[in-house]
């Protein structure tokens, strides 16, 4: 388990074999299979309709059905950009798009998880009482920030904490070493929740520590997203970890064609040790995040280690997700009362975002930072696929004199997504936003830092999937020393970037520009 034993094959052949296998699995388990199936059904129905029922009957009935569904789409709640995408698809291919729309919208698994999560949050609300002392001090220092704190508390049940410390970890390598150090000190419990876990050096070293800690009597729980079962971990991997004494669950496992909640993934990155230290950021448990495996040049990532009272927020987020699959109510008190020593100045707010909330907490926090900024807002994100509200917030901040800078990758991990990302450059640049590409490779860090006193580090990308469809988490900081460390690292990273101009956009490859132009209307579904 802790070490991979593979046949000695040519390394290039192994990489090609793995790439082909993963591509096939993604095809079978992903939305691509559903799309292909529905397109085939559409072609077959049109063929039969034209030759047996008459083209006017087929055309008229399909247009009537399309009109009814389009009216339903327009009148329902939701993101306007997503509505436009659905309307476009329904108009172009109604026989395909209408069943696909209902397949996504009337998702039984989606509604089942929503109901369970609401029940869990209702019965665990008592574990997260408002931090009245912290909020009182925050109202005196920053009324604007206190208002966003009140908003987050009402929508996700989290609050700002004082007496908490933050250590900024500027690379995946630094995060990994600090995780190992904290894991070695565990005495009571270890909770891990990650989007990606993949066998290799990083996970192998962590797993060896977890095995040893289980033997010492430490409780270990592991939660990872079901997409890992497609080419990264064996499907029955939870049973393998259970055999080692590690309690393990896979969130929303994928099944061919009929996966019931493929769209809502657990994209969080959380590690909690003994209730005294918690980690979040962009770092998953796979070798590319620490540059042991090079995929797209140098991989730049970040994380934070939180200590003190704010750890309670991350512990509760983990336990709530864990309890979604738990029929019996569990007493969380032993884990939430186990906080570390009070320390630090300023305020720290752990918060989560859920695709089932009517409010998009992650996006609202980002937009609040942009709207309150006076001097600067500096951002790193691996993807830039945003709606008009976010475009307006970014450009409005720049137009009123705020220094708005974004760092994005120069080398894509997904070519289609990269093409859509670049399609936003010109509009943002013309609006006063400065965009920089990280020339050494791929930047996966998700950060906002503003005015020398406010920062967010977490798992939330500037794209539709993170802002609207995934379970996410982050730590918002105000008045803590780590904010200065984050800004210094941003400036060091900026020195390795190339600033993009309108001329660069116009000189970009024609094929990539056309791909971005074609795919941008479909961005909410990517």
């Amino acid at each position: 388990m802790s070490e991979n034993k593979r046949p000695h094959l040519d390394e290039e052949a192994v990489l090609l074999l793995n790439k082909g296998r993963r591509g096939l699995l993604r095809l079978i388990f992903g939305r691509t299979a559903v799309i292909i199936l529905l397109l085939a059904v559409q072609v077959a129905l049109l063929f039969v309709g034209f030759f047996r029922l008459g083209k006017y009957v087929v055309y008229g009935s399909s247009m009537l059905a399309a009109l009814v569904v389009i009216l339903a789409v327009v009148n329902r709640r939701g993101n306007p950009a997503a509505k436009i995408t659905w309307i476009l698809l329904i108009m172009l291919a109604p026989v395909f798009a209408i069943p696909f729309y209902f397949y996504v919208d009337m998702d039984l698994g989606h509604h089942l998880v929503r109901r369970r999560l609401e029940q869990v949050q209702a019965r665990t609300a008592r574990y997260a009482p408002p931090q009245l002392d912290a909020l009182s001090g925050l109202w005196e220092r920053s009324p604007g920030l206190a208002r966003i704190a009140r908003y987050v508390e009402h929508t996700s049940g989290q609050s700002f904490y004082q007496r908490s410390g933050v250590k900024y970890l500027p690379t995946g390598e630094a995060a990994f070493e600090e995780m190992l150090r904290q894991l070695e000190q565990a005495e009571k419990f270890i909770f891990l929740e990650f989007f990606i876990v993949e066998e290799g050096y990083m996970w192998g070293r962590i797993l060896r520590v977890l095995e040893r800690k289980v033997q010492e009597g430490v409780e270990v729980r592991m939660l990872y997203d079901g997409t890992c079962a497609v080419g990264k971990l064996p499907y029955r991997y939870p049973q393998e970890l259970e055999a080692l004494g590690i309690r393990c669950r896979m969130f929303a496992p994928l099944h061919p064609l009929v996966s019931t909640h493929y769209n809502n993934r657990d994209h969080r990155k959380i590690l909690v040790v003994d209730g005294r230290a918690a980690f979040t950021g962009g770092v998953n448990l796979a070798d590319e995040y620490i540059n042991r495996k090079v995929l797209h040049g140098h991989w730049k990532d970040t994380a934070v280690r939180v200590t003190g009272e704010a750890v309670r927020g991350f512990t509760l987020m983990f336990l709530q997700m864990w309890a979604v699959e738990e029929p019996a109510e569990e007493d969380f008190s032993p884990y939430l009362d186990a906080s570390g020593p009070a320390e630090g100045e300023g305020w720290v707010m752990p918060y989560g975002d859920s695709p089932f909330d009517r409010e998009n907490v992650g996006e609202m926090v980002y937009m609040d930072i942009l709207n309150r900024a006076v001097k600067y807002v500096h951002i790193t994100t691996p993807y830039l696929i945003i709606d008009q509200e976010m475009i307006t917030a970014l450009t409005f901040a720049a137009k009123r004199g705020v220094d708005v800078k974004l760092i994005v990758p120069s080398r894509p991990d997904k070519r289609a997504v990269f093409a859509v990302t670049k399609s936003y450059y010109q509009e943002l640049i013309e609006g006063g936003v400065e965009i920089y590409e990280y020339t050494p490779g791929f930047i996966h860090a998700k950060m906002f830092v503003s005015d020398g006193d406010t920062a967010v580090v977490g798992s939330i990308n500037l794209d539709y999937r993170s802002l609207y469809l995934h379970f996410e988490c982050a730590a918002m900081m105000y008045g803590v020393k780590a904010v200065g460390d984050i800004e210094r690292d941003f400036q060091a990273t900026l020195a390795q970037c190339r600033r993009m101009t309108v001329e660069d956009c116009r000189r970009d490859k024609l094929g990539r520009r056309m791909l971005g132009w074609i795919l941008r209307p479909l961005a909410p579904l990517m």
Side-chain angles (χ1 to χ4, degrees), residues 131 134 159-165 275-276 306-315 336 339-343 348 350:
Q131 301 298 306
S159 184
F160 268 103
Y161 293 82
Q162 285 186 292
R163 296 178 291 277
S164 299
R276 58 174 174 76
V306 177
T307 53
E309 293 184 1
V311 177
R312 183 186 184 96
F314 287 107
T315 307
L336 295 168
S339 61
E343 57 175 291
V348 182

Side-chain angles (χ1 to χ4, degrees), residues 12-283:
E12 184 177 353
V14 172
L15 289 173
L16 288 173
L17 180 63
N18 288 338
K19 184 177 180 181
R21 182 185 64 182
R22 291 174 184 174
L24 179 61
L25 287 172
R26 289 193 187 100
L27 177 65
I28 296 172
F29 283 81
R31 286 172 291 171
T32 305
V34 177
I35 292 171
I36 291 172
L37 177 64
L38 291 174
L39 281 173
V41 170
Q42 165 148 329
V43 171
L45 288 176
L46 288 175
F47 181 83
V48 171
F50 272 108
F51 286 93
R52 294 196 176 184
L53 301 177
K55 59 182 179 181
Y56 298 111
V57 174
V58 173
Y59 180 78
S61 59
S62 63
M63 288 302 100
L64 180 61
L67 177 61
V68 171
V69 176
I70 286 172
L71 288 173
V73 171
V74 170
N75 284 281
R76 65 169 300 167
R77 295 185 183 184
N79 182 269
K83 292 182 181 182
I84 291 172
T85 299
W86 281 116
I87 291 170
L88 179 64
L89 286 175
I90 291 167
M91 291 176 63
L92 291 175
V95 179
F96 148 69
I98 291 173
F100 188 56
Y101 172 75
F102 286 110
Y103 170 77
V104 172
D105 187 58
M106 300 178 65
D107 185 355
L108 296 178
H110 172 104
H111 296 296
L112 179 61
V113 174
R114 177 202 291 269
R115 186 168 65 252
R116 287 177 176 174
L117 185 60
E118 288 174 348
Q119 292 170 350
V120 168
Q121 289 174 337
R123 72 177 187 241
T124 59
R126 67 182 186 275
Y127 294 113
Q131 301 298 306
L132 298 179
D133 290 344
L135 287 174
S136 175
L138 191 59
W139 274 106
E140 295 177 6
R141 282 280 299 273
S142 176
L145 195 64
R147 289 186 175 90
I148 193 65
R150 184 169 63 180
Y151 165 81
V152 173
E153 183 180 318
H154 288 328
T155 52
S156 68
Q158 295 287 358
S159 184
F160 268 103
Y161 293 82
Q162 285 186 292
R163 296 178 291 277
S164 299
V166 180
K167 180 178 181 178
Y168 176 62
L169 303 163
T171 64
E173 293 88 332
F176 177 43
E177 291 304 318
E178 183 63 21
M179 286 177 182
L180 287 175
R181 192 173 75 84
Q182 294 295 329
L183 288 170
E184 291 285 3
Q185 298 175 22
E187 297 177 351
K188 300 174 183 177
F189 64 88
I190 298 169
F191 297 155
L192 304 98
E193 180 180 351
F194 285 88
F195 178 56
I196 291 175
V197 181
E198 186 171 15
E199 291 181 310
Y201 175 80
M202 185 181 190
W203 174 236
R205 283 197 61 185
I206 290 174
L207 183 56
R208 284 194 289 273
V209 177
L210 298 181
E211 290 182 61
R212 183 162 20 92
K213 287 298 173 179
V214 167
Q215 297 301 317
E216 295 173 6
V218 175
E219 179 185 358
V220 180
R221 303 191 196 187
M222 177 80 183
L223 178 64
Y224 65 88
D225 188 72
T227 53
C228 292
V230 183
K232 297 185 182 301
L233 293 174
Y235 194 81
R236 296 185 60 80
Y237 200 67
Q239 288 86 338
E240 296 183 29
L241 292 185
E242 293 277 355
L244 298 175
I246 298 170
R247 299 177 65 186
C248 182
R249 290 178 181 167
M250 179 167 50
F251 178 81
L254 294 179
H255 306 288
L257 295 181
V258 294
S259 179
T260 54
H261 36 278
Y262 65 85
N263 234 13
N264 306 129
R265 309 315 313 174
D266 184 359
H267 194 245
R268 295 175 178 177
K269 291 89 177 167
I270 296 175
L271 168 61
V272 179
V273 180
D274 286 351
R276 58 174 174 76
F279 294 80
T280 193
V283 181

